[in-house]
Amino acid sequence: MCGIAGIFNVQHSGIIDTRLLQHINRIQHHRGPDDEGYFVDDLVGLAHRRLSIIDLSGGHQPLFNEDNTVAVVFNGEIYNFKALIKELKNLGHQFRTVSDTEVIVHAWEQWGKDCVSHFRGMFAFAIWDKNTSTLFLARDRLGKKPLFYSLTAKGQLVFASELKVLLAHPDVSRTLRDEMAEEYLMFGYIPDPFTAYKHIFKLPAGHYLQLTPGAAITASAYWDLSAPATVLSWHDTQEALVDQLLDAVRIRMVSDVPLGAFLSGGVDSSAIVALMSGLQSNPVNTCAIGFDQAQFDETHYARSIAEQYQTLHHDRQINADDVSLVEVLGRLYDEPFADDSALPTYLVCQLARKQVKVALSGDGGDEIFAGYRRYRFHLAEQKVRGMIPSSIREPVFGMLGQIYPKADWAPQRFRAKTTFQSLAMNSVDAYANTISKLRFADRQRLLSPAYRHQLNGYTGNDILRRHALNAPTDDPLKLIQYLDLKTWLPGDILTKVDRASMANSLEVRAPLLDHQLLEWAFQIPSQDLIRRQEGKFCFKKALEPYLPKDILYRPKMGFSMPLAHWFRTQLRPMLHTQILSPVMLDCGYFNPHQLRNIVAEHESGQRDHGVVLWSLLMFAQFMERQA
């Protein structure tokens, strides 16, 4: 795992400043503390930070082809590199290393832009082909590895693995994007291809940029989920599921450095540990993070799996003293990022790095096999939408959604306001309502009239609507899984893990997000994913020989923090010093009265605004850094 950066003269902008390239690249030292490398010529400068995982002695980058006319800088892992080396050697290519990086160079020579279709892994890379004066940037299919870029006013394209690298370049604009506050308050992150900044973009997952001097900068897709070619029977699913997963785990265990796994005690991480244990003779190194409040703590489940598979287990509890890391998180993500599980994720990466350099995770299981509770709720709502004509449904449930109280204090079954709101909407807008950190009506109250006018009717729903138009299916469950693969997965889950792991110089691999496994799983009928209100039904059934039922079928807890309590105790001062700071009150995005009201209601115990306050706290820290 590494960090890459570069500068390309799109408009023949003069010489590449080598000292500037070195300066911005060293800002991401944490992504690759083992080595650095540079290549500069008249049109391009490439930079690399290396975290050595494969071919420790021979993987220095930039890496070149035989005659030094093609160079690459690469962040990630190509898991099928050994098979590709054999194939490319048979086609006449000469290899000087045994690293997966060199595979990219020769694959580009052999297949050009289609090289990405041959790679099985996680990657963001830049290829410079001197023969054709072409710069080729690509990001993996699901967006596990990040890639940011910006075109400066002087005509140079600057790109890097992290946003902070671009922001250190004096010619990269720091102008904020008008829509970013609305999108952030809805999603809890800024969805691809956008960032918080008007002139800085994320290369979307499964896309590439192919550039020559003077060319337009347009991202092109090379991969997307297709409509299932067939529908798997229950027998076929159960027969093949574990084998499919075993293959994805096996290829991710290739490493020349110590390797372990995260173990939360949930189904997905427990499954990965169980299969790893059968694939290696030594005990698996496992790590877990828990909380000192029982309703948030899963470490006893993790210990039971560790005992079952005799792993070398390490765990740590988070308590209120760990809130000092809040400031670290604000700086880590470079733009507003509201997922409160970023804190335990950072700490489990920190814990794992003391033992290993590579860790396998269970990320992706809920998205691929439909484990989220919101999926079950959405399907139940869809049944109602199908039974009641929209001419009746929209006004009746719309009215109920307006008058029903927002009962945060009540048990889940009595919190009907969101359900009533969603039943008045179409499927995509209803799902947008379900996933929103702050729902539309609440955003309208919080945002200032001037900012709402500036948005001119725009909402974050527009992003989901655009993705829905490209969905390969109208199956209600698979549609929202597809929407999550395009937004939630790259924007939240994978961003969280990449920044948290790289901040600790740790590589994290996610077998459940293997694209071949995903394409296979997309053929599983929805009724086999969710059955009798049990999410991941076929997945859990297939794993019964490996995991106890109290792990497989217990209620999902998630990886969140006791925010309500912390904002009334250790985090309480931040409500006033940061959320109600002059920067927040005067920035123009918010209604100051509503900001104060949210803080007062939470402090008094009248309402639980923990999730909203965390979102506002992360936004406040971002705004402070803009000064």
Side-chain angles (χ1 to χ4, degrees), residues 351-601:
L351 178 64
R353 187 61 182 88
K354 295 176 181 178
Q355 318 299 328
V356 298
K357 208 169 183 178
V358 178
L360 271 61
S361 80
D363 291 323
D366 289 316
E367 291 82 5
I368 307 309
F369 293 103
Y372 290 123
R373 184 174 59 184
R374 64 178 183 256
Y375 291 167
R376 303 197 298 275
F377 287 172
H378 184 80
L379 292 184
E381 291 171 1
Q382 276 295 99
K383 288 183 179 179
V384 176
R385 289 189 196 94
M387 292 186 292
I388 304 175
S390 60
S391 58
I392 298 173
R393 176 172 50 81
E394 291 175 9
V396 170
F397 286 110
M399 179 187 67
L400 288 172
Q402 288 181 345
I403 66 176
Y404 198 90
K406 185 173 172 59
D408 292 330
W409 46 269
Q412 185 71 42
R413 63 182 178 275
F414 296 123
R415 300 184 201 175
K417 187 177 185 71
T418 301
T419 300
F420 289 148
Q421 291 172 341
S422 295
L423 287 172
M425 304 171 183
N426 63 47
S427 179
V428 174
D429 287 340
Y431 192 61
N433 189 53
T434 297
I435 64 171
S436 294
K437 289 284 184 181
L438 203 62
R439 293 183 174 86
F440 178 74
D442 296 323
R443 297 200 302 276
Q444 292 292 290
R445 282 190 291 271
L446 179 57
L447 296 173
S448 71
Y451 180 59
R452 295 202 310 270
H453 178 75
Q454 185 179 357
L455 289 172
N456 193 29
Y458 174 82
T459 73
N461 292 32
D462 292 355
I463 292 174
L464 291 179
R465 291 169 189 152
R466 286 198 297 271
H467 286 304
L469 292 174
N470 295 321
T473 175
D474 57 3
D475 177 281
L477 176 58
K478 293 190 182 298
L479 170 61
I480 59 175
Q481 287 180 283
Y482 179 83
L483 294 179
D484 274 356
L485 289 173
K486 294 297 179 180
T487 55
W488 165 257
L489 191 69
D492 188 295
I493 300 297
L494 296 175
T495 295
K496 173 183 64 181
V497 173
D498 176 80
R499 305 306 186 279
S501 61
M502 287 288 89
N504 290 286
S505 301
L506 176 77
E507 176 174 304
V508 176
R509 302 174 178 177
L512 286 163
L513 290 175
D514 183 276
H515 82 274
Q516 292 185 11
L517 174 63
L518 168 59
E519 291 169 344
W520 175 84
F522 205 58
Q523 301 175 99
I524 299 173
S526 292
Q527 63 265 27
D528 290 343
L529 295 172
I530 298 178
R531 188 183 295 185
R532 297 192 293 271
Q533 294 301 302
E534 186 72 54
K536 292 196 284 198
F537 185 78
C538 60
F539 185 68
K540 293 173 181 177
K541 279 292 181 182
L543 289 168
E544 283 185 355
Y546 299 87
L547 300 174
K549 290 189 175 182
D550 65 339
I551 294 292
L552 288 170
Y553 298 106
R554 67 182 177 87
K556 182 176 176 61
M557 288 180 66
F559 203 30
S560 57
M561 300 191 299
L563 291 177
H565 172 71
W566 282 6
F567 276 120
R568 294 187 181 111
T569 54
Q570 277 74 10
L571 287 182
R572 186 170 182 172
M574 290 185 177
L575 297 179
H576 297 272
T577 61
Q578 297 192 34
I579 294 176
L580 297 182
S581 67
V583 167
M584 288 288 281
L585 295 173
D586 300 336
C587 66
Y589 292 118
F590 304 109
N591 178 339
H593 171 75
Q594 186 62 10
L595 274 180
R596 294 188 181 99
N597 189 49
I598 289 172
V599 169
E601 286 183 346

Side-chain angles (χ1 to χ4, degrees), residues 4-30:
I4 66 173
I7 302 171
F8 177 58
N9 279 334
V10 179
Q11 302 297 338
H12 298 284
S13 314
I15 64 171
I16 302 296
D17 188 334
T18 303
R19 293 180 65 182
L20 176 59
L21 181 61
Q22 291 173 337
H23 166 68
I24 63 175
N25 186 47
R26 287 168 182 167
I27 288 171
Q28 58 184 355
H29 174 272
H30 53 280

Side-chain angles (χ1 to χ4, degrees), residues 186-462:
M186 176 179 163
F187 290 98
Y189 54 90
I190 313 296
D192 297 1
F194 307 113
T195 70
Y197 300 93
K198 184 176 182 178
H199 300 290
I200 304 177
F201 300 90
K202 300 161 186 155
L203 183 62
H207 281 65
Y208 66 81
L209 288 174
Q210 185 165 325
L211 302 170
T212 54
I217 299 173
T218 304
S220 301
Y222 68 86
W223 180 87
D224 201 353
L225 268 178
S226 302
T230 185
V231 176
L232 295 174
S233 69
W234 175 259
H235 177 268
D236 290 342
T237 300
Q238 292 299 293
E239 188 80 12
L241 196 152
V242 171
D243 286 341
Q244 291 278 344
L245 185 52
L246 266 171
D247 181 53
V249 171
R250 183 183 294 107
I251 63 170
R252 283 163 177 80
M253 292 179 67
V254 176
S255 174
D256 294 333
V257 296
L259 179 145
F262 297 153
L263 179 58
S264 69
V267 175
D268 303 326
S269 65
S270 298
I272 299 302
V273 169
L275 297 181
M276 287 178 70
S277 296
L279 291 170
Q280 67 180 52
S281 56
N282 297 326
V284 178
N285 273 290
T286 55
C287 297
I289 289 290
F291 294 90
D292 58 358
Q293 290 183 271
Q295 66 268 37
F296 294 91
D297 187 58
E298 293 184 284
T299 51
H300 56 293
Y301 293 111
R303 291 189 198 107
S304 72
I305 296 298
E307 291 171 5
Q308 178 180 345
Y309 286 99
Q310 298 182 319
T311 73
L312 298 176
H313 190 61
H314 314 270
D315 61 27
R316 172 184 170 182
Q317 277 199 333
I318 302 175
N319 55 44
D321 295 334
D322 290 302
V323 300
S324 60
L325 285 170
V326 169
E327 299 282 356
V328 174
L329 291 182
R331 295 190 298 271
L332 201 61
Y333 292 90
D334 299 328
E335 59 181 350
F337 188 75
D339 190 337
D340 59 277
S341 67
L343 178 56
T345 301
Y346 177 86
L347 292 174
V348 77
C349 290
Q350 188 180 73
L351 178 64
R353 187 61 182 88
K354 295 176 181 178
Q355 318 299 328
V356 298
K357 208 169 183 178
V358 178
L360 271 61
S361 80
D363 291 323
D366 289 316
E367 291 82 5
I368 307 309
F369 293 103
Y372 290 123
R373 184 174 59 184
R374 64 178 183 256
Y375 291 167
R376 303 197 298 275
F377 287 172
H378 184 80
L379 292 184
E381 291 171 1
Q382 276 295 99
K383 288 183 179 179
V384 176
R385 289 189 196 94
M387 292 186 292
I388 304 175
S390 60
S391 58
I392 298 173
R393 176 172 50 81
E394 291 175 9
V396 170
F397 286 110
M399 179 187 67
L400 288 172
Q402 288 181 345
I403 66 176
Y404 198 90
K406 185 173 172 59
D408 292 330
W409 46 269
Q412 185 71 42
R413 63 182 178 275
F414 296 123
R415 300 184 201 175
K417 187 177 185 71
T418 301
T419 300
F420 289 148
Q421 291 172 341
S422 295
L423 287 172
M425 304 171 183
N426 63 47
S427 179
V428 174
D429 287 340
Y431 192 61
N433 189 53
T434 297
I435 64 171
S436 294
K437 289 284 184 181
L438 203 62
R439 293 183 174 86
F440 178 74
D442 296 323
R443 297 200 302 276
Q444 292 292 290
R445 282 190 291 271
L446 179 57
L447 296 173
S448 71
Y451 180 59
R452 295 202 310 270
H453 178 75
Q454 185 179 357
L455 289 172
N456 193 29
Y458 174 82
T459 73
N461 292 32
D462 292 355

